[in-house]
Amino acid sequence: MSTSDIGYGSRVEVRLSFDEAVRRTREALAAEGFGVLCDIDVQKTLKTKLDVDFRRYVILGACNPPLAHRALTTDSDIGLLLPCNVVVYESDEPDETVIAAIDPIEQLGITARPELEPVARAVGQRLKRVLEAVTT
């Protein structure tokens, strides 16, 4: 499977069950030094709050502590843009799941702080490897 650019992130479609895709995504994030600070079950939340049915969809708020520390010591307000979101959701195609990750260059680019670019590049390289690892 190939990675496609969605402007503000990258995504892959994989022939994995939803549960397997979530498991592999968590493992790949951990291998790249990310912890998952929050795990939002969008399907459950929408059912509970709005009584609507929605596809299985989770938002994983991923954080790499050393890189987050570098960003926060550069700009204390950068926490407004953290953590980096990675989503896993059921595709419209049968037996496929989508994994997508934010593009940290785009995300941190709104700050117009060039000193944050090295951190954004480092995070971006790691997230790219996460998507690649889930597809293999």
Side-chain angles (χ1 to χ4, degrees), residues 2-132:
S2 65
T3 303
S4 59
D5 180 22
I6 54 174
Y8 50 90
S10 298
R11 68 191 295 271
V12 294
E13 286 193 43
V14 294
R15 288 205 167 277
L16 296 172
S17 71
F18 175 81
D19 291 329
E20 180 67 9
V22 170
R23 184 186 68 75
R24 286 193 189 183
T25 300
R26 286 176 165 281
E27 287 175 356
L29 285 166
E32 289 294 333
F34 289 93
V36 174
L37 300 178
C38 59
D39 180 340
I40 302 167
D41 183 335
V42 175
Q43 180 188 50
K44 180 181 175 184
T45 300
L46 293 178
K47 187 65 175 174
T48 301
K49 301 293 184 181
L50 303 176
D51 195 27
V52 296
D53 294 322
F54 194 72
R55 71 181 81 208
R56 294 180 73 190
Y57 191 116
V58 296
I59 302 170
L60 304 174
C63 178
N64 179 293
L67 293 173
H69 180 255
R70 280 179 51 197
L72 288 163
T73 56
T74 301
D75 181 348
S76 294
D77 294 321
I78 205 68
L80 291 167
L81 300 175
L82 302 178
C84 294
N85 284 335
V86 175
V87 299
V88 181
Y89 60 91
E90 291 176 318
S91 173
D92 292 333
E93 298 298 320
D95 304 319
E96 287 193 1
T97 304
V98 175
I99 300 104
I102 189 73
D103 179 342
I105 301 268
E106 289 293 322
Q107 184 178 21
L108 297 183
I110 67 170
T111 67
R113 304 271 317 255
E115 62 272 28
L116 289 170
E117 190 175 324
V119 175
R121 267 195 318 276
V123 171
Q125 290 166 348
R126 289 171 186 255
L127 290 175
K128 181 179 179 182
R129 289 192 299 264
V130 165
L131 293 180
E132 290 169 355

